[in-house]
Amino acid sequence: MKIISSISQKIDSRVAIEECLMVLEKEFTEPSIILCYFTEEHNEKIILSLLKKQFPKSKIHGCTSCQGIMTDDGFASNRALAVWVLIDTKNGRYGTSISQYQSVDTVESLTIKLLESAISDSGREGELPALVLLHATSGHEESIISTIDDFFGTPVPLIGGTAADNHNKGNWCIFTQDNVVNSGISISVFYPSCKVSYSFHSGYAPFDISGIATKTNKRTLYEIDNRPIVEVYKEWTQMSDLINKDQNLLEHMAQYPLGRIAGYMDTVPYFKLAHPTKITHDGGIECFADINVGEEIHMMYGEKDQIISRPQRVINSAIGYQQISFAPIGGINIFCAGSMMHIKSSMLDVCDSVNAAMHEAPFICPFTFGEQGRFTGGENAHGNLMVSTVLFHY
């Protein structure tokens, strides 16, 4: 089994994908699955067409990334395109599926159809996959994850990232070898001939401030403890000047997300985060994650140094700190776009630390508008400003 990654910053999409695929010229086996991440400037139809032409039997899964991509070759900001190729010549199997959101289907029924289709595509019906990779457009990730868990009856490890663009303007898309969609769900199932380890962390610490959500509407929070959320958030962050309708909260409030307790390690809580993105016309704060009435909301804080070192700590957690027995093949990392923008000038340092933790094995890392993964306690979840990692190893 072999994993190869490659990245390009060529302006032309055709030239960029061809440059990425040059690393495969010496390979005699068609890839089992190809992951492709790219910024909004690139043409997804050209990318997919070229991938299918060169590798007609490979499974393909793609998703847009915010303002750059990272691989073991480095951090490429702005116009970027990267591929991650897994070649599994043993008994590994892989399957993909994709669909636009359909008015005739609920999110739950569509997710079930896609799971059944992806498993059928892999040829491993009746077996639990070792990993599910999810890329969806923003809005229904919690329902999708809950349906995936219910479908398998036991939590199958999950990794994923919500499709992103450069400035939260809707210029995102997802694709597989079968289709390109701008609003929908795509799923891959992995049955690899190696071990899979995973980790999912926020890396943010709670302030000693919390309250109860008393008025919400899906991803918009209106009141905490029966007080207007904008008033509460200004008070909690002490950043009144930056919290108004004219500011892009996505870029300015990455340091101050809202946390909900996802579980406990012994008596210590760990959190899933909600990233404030904008103030709505009716005085709410919209996030990239659902918030429900009755949930306890914690004020969270992330120091830049903690955010920079977080990916390495997440990888170490996935490895279980068993460095001697860890023989890496490669990995997938999902990194929040908001966190990346907050520490963009330090992303080369982040890349160096990830390479060290990965023992220089190839990896790929898009920057997404929501992250999905499996916590140490076994829960699959969706959050914001998170890091999710999956490692393939012997």
Side-chain angles (χ1 to χ4, degrees):
M1 185 168 168
K2 187 175 185 179
I3 289 173
I4 303 169
S5 68
S6 182
I7 195 164
S8 174
Q9 286 191 281
K10 298 295 186 184
I11 295 173
D12 183 86
S13 298
R14 185 179 299 273
V15 176
I17 193 68
E18 288 175 348
E19 181 178 60
C20 283
L21 295 180
M22 285 176 61
V23 298
L24 297 175
E25 287 183 347
K26 296 180 181 180
E27 300 297 329
F28 298 103
T29 303
E30 191 158 329
S32 304
I33 188 167
I34 301 169
L35 305 185
C36 180
Y37 300 105
F38 52 98
T39 54
E40 65 176 59
E41 297 91 347
H42 281 291
N43 187 312
E44 63 273 13
K45 293 181 180 179
I46 290 175
I47 294 167
L48 182 57
S49 175
L50 290 172
L51 287 172
K52 289 174 65 174
K53 182 178 180 180
Q54 186 156 346
F55 303 109
K57 296 181 181 179
S58 297
K59 312 303 180 184
I60 302 169
H61 201 163
C63 181
T64 46
S65 177
C66 175
Q67 298 184 19
I69 305 162
M70 184 168 64
T71 72
D72 47 294
D73 285 331
F75 169 69
S77 62
N78 303 316
R79 194 179 192 105
L81 185 153
V83 298
W84 180 95
V85 171
L86 186 151
I87 301 170
D88 196 342
T89 57
K90 295 184 179 179
N91 61 345
R93 295 293 183 271
Y94 306 83
T96 65
S97 61
I98 191 169
S99 178
Q100 191 90 10
Y101 284 122
Q102 306 286 345
S103 59
V104 296
D105 291 310
T106 64
V107 171
E108 291 78 11
S109 64
L110 182 58
T111 302
I112 290 170
K113 288 181 181 179
L114 291 174
L115 285 167
E116 291 173 341
S117 178
I119 293 169
S120 175
D121 189 43
S122 74
R124 298 288 282 265
E125 293 94 331
E127 298 180 49
L128 285 176
L131 176 70
V132 174
L133 170 65
L134 168 66
H135 286 305
T137 55
S138 182
H140 302 289
E141 296 92 330
E142 290 90 351
S143 295
I144 297 168
I145 292 170
S146 177
T147 303
I148 291 172
D149 287 347
D150 290 343
F151 179 86
F152 291 117
T154 183
V156 169
L158 173 79
I159 189 170
T162 303
D165 63 359
N166 289 344
H167 302 289
N168 194 23
K169 301 293 185 181
N171 299 320
W172 47 64
C173 72
I174 51 178
F175 65 64
T176 70
Q177 69 273 9
D178 295 323
N179 201 5
V180 177
V181 304
N182 301 103
S183 176
I185 307 169
S186 59
I187 288 173
S188 289
V189 290
F190 287 62
Y191 298 83
S193 59
C194 69
K195 297 176 182 178
V196 176
S197 296
Y198 49 85
S199 189
F200 188 42
H201 283 283
S202 77
Y204 285 68
F207 278 129
D208 190 22
I209 307 173
S210 64
I212 303 299
T214 49
K215 184 179 180 182
T216 70
N217 181 15
K218 296 181 180 178
R219 298 194 164 185
T220 302
L221 178 58
Y222 289 99
E223 294 180 359
I224 290 180
D225 295 334
N226 298 306
R227 296 176 57 206
I229 178 57
V230 175
E231 177 184 312
V232 173
Y233 194 59
K234 285 181 178 180
E235 180 182 297
W236 284 6
T237 61
Q238 299 292 301
M239 296 185 70
S240 297
D241 292 344
L242 288 176
I243 302 171
N244 57 69
K245 291 182 180 180
D246 298 324
Q247 286 288 354
N248 184 345
L249 299 187
L250 172 67
E251 297 190 21
H252 290 94
M253 292 295 109
Q255 200 168 4
Y256 297 102
L258 303 171
R260 282 99 15 96
I261 294 175
Y264 292 85
M265 287 298 292
D266 296 323
T267 59
V268 179
Y270 51 87
F271 295 83
K272 55 183 178 181
L273 306 183
H275 187 180
T277 62
K278 66 180 179 181
I279 296 175
T280 62
H281 66 89
D282 53 356
I285 289 183
E286 186 177 304
C287 300
F288 274 133
D290 289 352
I291 297 178
N292 301 313
V293 169
E295 284 192 297
E296 185 174 12
I297 309 298
H298 295 257
M299 184 74 256
M300 308 292 290
Y301 177 72
E303 292 279 2
K304 281 194 174 184
D305 288 347
Q306 291 177 314
I307 298 172
I308 291 168
S309 63
R310 178 177 57 169
Q312 183 176 18
R313 288 184 279 117
V314 175
I315 293 168
N316 286 336
S317 176
I319 296 170
Y321 298 95
Q322 298 174 1
Q323 303 284 347
I324 296 175
S325 61
F326 177 63
I329 303 167
I332 305 167
N333 297 305
I334 307 291
F335 195 99
C336 173
S339 294
M340 179 275 293
M341 287 186 280
H342 186 51
I343 60 167
K344 198 168 188 178
S345 62
S346 300
M347 285 305 299
L348 291 177
D349 294 332
V350 173
C351 190
D352 288 342
S353 67
V354 172
N355 274 324
M358 288 288 297
H359 296 215
E360 309 301 326
F363 71 88
I364 197 165
C365 179
F367 305 108
T368 57
F369 282 168
E371 296 72 55
Q372 297 90 47
R374 191 174 191 183
F375 285 112
T376 306
E379 307 93 345
N380 287 327
H382 164 76
N384 308 144
L385 297 164
M386 311 282 284
V387 173
S388 189
T389 290
V390 164
L391 304 175
F392 299 85
H393 60 96
Y394 295 117

